[in-house]
Amino acid sequence: MRYVVVGGGVAGVCCAEELCRLCPQDSVALVSADRVLKGVSVVARLSRTLEELQLVEKRLDELPYPNLRMVQGVAAGVDAAGKSLLLASGERVPYDKLCICAGARPKQLPAEAFVTSAAAAAACTKPGSSGSVQPLTQQQQQQQQAGREERQQAEQRGGWELEQMRQRVLTIRDTDSVARLAQRLASARHVAVVGNGGIALELISGLKGIDVTWVLKHGHIGDAFFDLDAAQFLLEELQHQRRQQEGQGQPAPAEQPAPQQAGAQQAEAQQHGAQPEAVEQQTEPHRRPTQQPETTQPEAASSPGSVLGHAVGPRWVQQLPAGTAALSGSTGRVDVEYGCEVASVQLLRSQGGAAEQQTQQQEREQHVGRPNGSDGLLSSGTPASPPAAEPRLLLTLTNGKQLEADLVLLAIGVTPALGWVPASMERSKDGGLRVNRHMQCSDPVYAAGDSAACEWAASESAHWFQMRLWSQARSMGIYAAHCMAGVQDQTGADMAFELFTHVTHFLGKKVVLLGLYNGQRLQEEPAQDIAVYSRVTEGPERTFVRVLLLRGRVQGAVLIGDTDLEETFENLIMDQLDVGAYGPALLDPDFELDHVFD
């Protein structure tokens, strides 16, 4: 049997490793554009279904499986009739069973959001057309030549401005983008973070000593994970941490306004999950000489077609340096703009008065006036080193407000990277491949991780739903391997779909999500049948607990901090005991929850 797995992220690596373990006599090929793969190790088992995981980078030649071979290349298509995977290099990889674990690509700002003043000026200088062709005088010819030169200069200025913007509008997605961000933070005073998912939440906690404006389209922070009460608890934690920084000699932010209660709290929640699994590159191999993070790579444009590495995984903010607020004049504050998105980005041209503007304009013209290949200019026509005084970015938001920033950090969700997959394979609304109970999208093609849409689980699993998380990518990859090997009924690997569980860390606190923690799939239930209780425990280590009940039975829970309640609430959800009679006392710290099971 020839098994082929596409994708070197969490789902693909876990699927390939499990196939090697289950089928040692069969051939397993892992296709990835990057030789550095993403694996998972278990840090701690917190309960029967809840594990705290750690992502690790590994090279394929380090994996101890003699029947596993590496195919470094970019998937370009599937020949279903010939049972072969097509690579961009023209190579064909034959298979008997294929599993697509191609990951997801981060969403980007649309191209029209980047506004260049030079492009507008060029449009204004385009010559008009007349109804008849008349001989041109020498003066008219000179004017036309001057107009052409002016438009050429305008286009070059526009290209320089666009490159400047793209270099400082960063998509935080993989380990390389984190290294580039660390470089840029050294000179940043004000950063705009756009997004409201897990990466955005971690970014906010990791950006210390820098003024931050947080732009999110929802009514409160962490909308994909938390209701208003939990979001307010985390916001208070953020303020508390900043006050502690002030006590240690770092500036603190101004007090935050209470989050708006308006806005859709569940809109596109599954598009903003924390730590989506690794993306499978679709352009060309991304070569890394070592496994160490690359901290000296040149800046790359954040374009949809650029080659991306694997997802950052947990605790990646520890790689970010502290800001230099005391030197730059920053206050270290965090401001939140609720219910809006970025409408446009442009270079700010009104800094420093007329004399400084003229100097900056002359510097730009000196750069764009050089021929390609000369000193200071890359072959693409981009200056190798921008002028010393970089103009700031001006963001216009959909609520009409404008703000200035040195960097814009995007974390606005992901979309499955399946442009190379035949259209005959059915997609779900979110773009993933629709799979059946055995992770098949067609015979003999399977899918897992971000590439798969497990719509079947809605009818079979009362307390599980899909969210694009690397923890789910792991369990899906393993289950897909069991289905491909035909042993799923004997191993019980589908137990991973019985209860939604996820553990992560936001603002330095452990966050545990269990079941339908935010009322997912309960929108049609009568409001009087749903009860929600929450508590905040004060002390040196503040904790937050929120539990949701339907007709007296626990459906989900949110635990923030070290509550030691993971196993208890997992059992309450799985056993579906009627605890409605206890009411809010269920969360009383002195209440013996263990007695419920007697």
Side-chain angles (χ1 to χ4, degrees):
M1 182 72 70
R2 296 169 300 180
Y3 297 106
V4 174
V5 180
V6 179
V10 173
V13 171
C14 290
C15 181
E17 288 186 307
E18 192 69 4
L19 282 171
C20 289
R21 188 183 68 82
L22 294 171
C23 311
Q25 303 304 317
D26 295 325
S27 169
V28 180
L30 179 59
V31 179
S32 174
D34 197 336
R35 290 197 64 86
V36 180
L37 310 176
K38 213 69 173 185
V40 175
S41 63
V42 178
V43 175
R45 177 175 287 276
L46 304 180
S47 66
R48 181 161 61 97
T49 63
L50 186 65
E51 294 176 328
E52 188 170 1
L53 307 175
Q54 179 180 0
L55 267 69
V56 295
E57 287 189 345
K58 58 179 71 175
R59 294 183 66 88
L60 187 74
D61 49 22
E62 297 174 347
L63 300 180
Y65 302 105
N67 60 330
L68 178 63
R69 70 184 182 97
M70 175 69 176
V71 179
Q72 187 167 1
V74 178
V78 177
D79 179 1
K83 285 191 175 182
S84 60
L85 176 72
L86 309 180
L87 302 184
S89 63
E91 181 182 356
R92 287 175 173 262
V93 183
Y95 64 82
D96 294 309
K97 291 186 179 181
L98 171 69
C99 189
I100 298 174
C101 307
R105 290 194 172 281
K107 295 180 180 178
Q108 308 281 350
L109 293 179
E112 56 269 21
F114 295 91
V115 179
T116 62
S117 56
C124 295
T125 59
K126 288 182 179 179
S129 60
S130 59
S132 60
V133 179
Q134 299 292 335
L136 299 178
T137 66
Q138 184 176 3
Q139 183 179 6
Q140 289 173 327
Q141 291 176 354
Q142 292 174 346
Q143 290 175 344
Q144 277 199 356
Q145 178 62 26
R148 283 193 293 268
E149 292 176 355
E150 184 178 354
R151 289 194 300 274
Q152 185 178 9
Q153 287 288 326
E155 290 173 358
Q156 290 179 320
R157 284 197 301 273
W160 183 87
E161 291 181 359
L162 183 61
E163 181 66 16
Q164 283 290 299
M165 286 187 282
R166 289 196 178 278
Q167 286 183 359
R168 286 184 281 154
V169 179
L170 305 181
T171 298
I172 306 305
R173 177 67 175 110
D174 57 4
T175 51
D176 289 342
S177 65
V178 173
R180 292 195 295 270
L181 170 59
Q183 286 181 309
R184 283 284 178 178
L185 285 177
S187 58
R189 293 174 296 164
H190 188 175
V191 172
V193 175
V194 184
N196 198 20
I199 290 180
L201 284 165
E202 292 182 287
L203 261 175
I204 295 299
S205 65
L207 295 174
K208 297 179 175 64
I210 299 173
D211 290 344
V212 178
T213 300
W214 191 358
V215 180
L216 48 113
K217 67 178 183 180
H218 305 102
H220 62 258
I221 69 171
D223 178 85
F225 302 99
F226 309 117
D227 70 340
L228 192 61
D229 290 342
Q232 184 62 34
F233 174 83
L234 281 177
L235 200 59
E236 291 171 357
E237 282 299 305
L238 176 62
Q239 295 167 358
H240 175 68
Q241 291 179 12
R242 298 286 170 144
R243 284 193 291 268
Q244 284 186 323
Q245 293 169 19
E246 181 183 22
Q248 296 170 1
Q250 298 185 34
E255 290 296 312
Q256 300 296 321
Q260 301 173 7
Q261 299 190 24
Q265 297 185 2
Q266 295 300 328
E268 297 183 12
Q270 294 190 14
Q271 297 297 325
H272 299 271
Q275 308 300 350
E277 65 150 324
V279 68
E280 170 66 17
Q281 301 93 330
Q282 299 301 323
T283 309
E284 62 182 33
H286 177 64
R287 298 176 177 83
R288 283 163 146 190
T290 69
Q291 296 184 58
Q292 300 301 319
E294 299 179 13
T295 57
T296 58
Q297 288 209 359
E299 196 66 44
S302 300
S303 61
S306 59
V307 175
L308 297 172
H310 301 308
V312 290
R315 307 180 190 277
W316 58 273
V317 294
Q318 296 175 359
Q319 302 177 40
L320 301 181
T324 54
L327 300 178
S328 65
S330 300
T331 62
R333 63 178 291 138
V334 176
D335 294 317
V336 185
E337 290 290 341
Y338 296 97
C340 62
E341 300 177 74
V342 174
S344 67
V345 182
Q346 62 189 100
L347 288 184
L348 187 64
R349 297 170 59 85
S350 59
Q351 302 181 107
E356 185 175 342
Q357 292 180 53
Q358 184 176 3
T359 300
Q360 292 177 357
Q361 179 66 19
Q362 290 173 351
E363 289 175 338
R364 287 194 287 270
E365 290 178 351
Q366 288 174 1
H367 277 283
V368 300
R370 296 173 183 167
N372 287 354
S374 63
D375 292 342
L377 201 65
L378 300 177
S379 59
S380 63
T382 305
S385 298
E390 290 185 330
R392 304 186 83 185
L393 300 173
L394 177 65
L395 276 67
T396 300
L397 307 181
T398 52
N399 62 5
K401 293 185 179 180
Q402 291 186 320
L403 61 97
E404 300 178 18
D406 300 301
L407 288 176
V408 178
L409 309 180
L410 297 180
I412 55 179
V414 298
T415 184
L418 298 171
W420 57 277
V421 176
S424 58
M425 294 185 186
E426 190 177 2
R427 265 68 161 186
S428 67
K429 291 181 179 179
D430 66 2
L433 294 172
R434 187 172 280 124
V435 297
N436 62 18
R437 182 68 173 74
H438 302 298
M439 306 303 287
Q440 279 186 299
C441 51
S442 68
D443 188 19
V445 181
Y446 299 73
D450 286 355
S451 297
C454 299
E455 296 178 345
W456 58 268
S459 60
E460 297 194 22
S461 302
H463 298 100
W464 187 92
F465 60 94
Q466 185 173 359
M467 203 172 191
R468 284 188 158 76
L469 307 166
W470 48 263
S471 55
Q472 283 196 358
R474 170 180 178 259
S475 59
M476 281 191 200
I478 293 174
Y479 180 56
H482 287 224
C483 292
M484 294 171 75
V487 298
Q488 70 276 10
D489 294 334
Q490 292 78 36
T491 60
D494 57 345
M495 287 184 60
F497 298 90
E498 289 186 354
L499 177 66
F500 175 92
T501 61
H502 187 60
V503 58
T504 184
H505 289 79
F506 293 141
L507 303 178
K509 286 188 171 293
K510 182 173 72 174
V511 176
V512 175
L513 308 175
L514 297 171
L516 310 180
Y517 63 88
N518 217 11
Q520 296 88 347
R521 295 164 49 181
L522 300 181
Q523 292 84 354
E524 303 301 322
E525 297 289 347
Q528 63 270 21
D529 290 349
I530 297 176
V532 178
Y533 306 123
S534 61
R535 82 167 194 225
V536 174
T537 302
E538 300 294 343
E541 174 69 24
R542 298 178 74 229
T543 64
F544 175 91
V545 178
R546 177 181 183 268
V547 61
L548 185 149
L549 287 74
L550 175 66
R551 290 183 281 276
R553 291 170 170 79
V554 178
Q555 304 299 309
V558 176
L559 312 174
I560 304 178
D562 293 321
T563 65
D564 295 325
L565 294 174
E566 298 91 345
E567 188 171 9
T568 298
F569 281 113
E570 176 193 87
N571 291 332
L572 286 174
I573 296 171
M574 298 293 287
D575 296 344
Q576 285 297 283
L577 298 176
D578 188 347
V579 294
Y582 298 107
L586 198 63
L587 298 186
D588 191 326
D590 298 324
F591 181 73
E592 296 291 341
L593 272 172
D594 291 340
H595 293 170
V596 174
F597 301 99
D598 293 339

